[in-house]
Amino acid sequence: FPSHDMHPIRIDSTLTAIVRTNDPKLSILPVVSTNLGTNNWTNAFFITNTPTNQVGVPSGFARREFTYTNTNNSRAFLRLSISNAP
């Protein structure tokens, strides 16, 4: 059987959210970590997309897709980090 070390597996995971777009102080970042027990969260390796299908999304909001590509064959925990600047 082939080893995963010789043939890495590519796994795409997508978070889809309806986010507020009419508040410039609001920051919404997708973040990933390989361990829930640490504060080692990063927003690298994400692609953000705004789909053309915005049916049912209220004014001042948009449907967004945050896609993470995992090519190192390890577990990944995804979340959205939302903060409001003062």
Side-chain angles (χ1 to χ4, degrees), residues 45-57:
F45 313 113
F46 276 92
I47 297 170
T48 301
N49 180 43
T50 302
T52 56
N53 179 1
Q54 296 294 317
V55 174
V57 178

Side-chain angles (χ1 to χ4, degrees), residues 9-60:
I9 297 172
R10 175 187 160 142
I11 300 171
D12 289 343
S13 299
T14 301
L15 294 173
T16 302
I18 296 176
V19 300
R20 191 170 172 181
T21 58
N22 62 357
D23 185 350
K25 294 181 180 180
L26 193 62
S27 171
I28 301 169
L29 293 174
V31 291
V32 61
S33 178
T34 57
N35 185 333
L36 288 175
T38 68
N39 284 329
N40 190 22
W41 294 88
T42 179
N43 67 346
F45 313 113
F46 276 92
I47 297 170
T48 301
N49 180 43
T50 302
T52 56
N53 179 1
Q54 296 294 317
V55 174
V57 178
S59 177

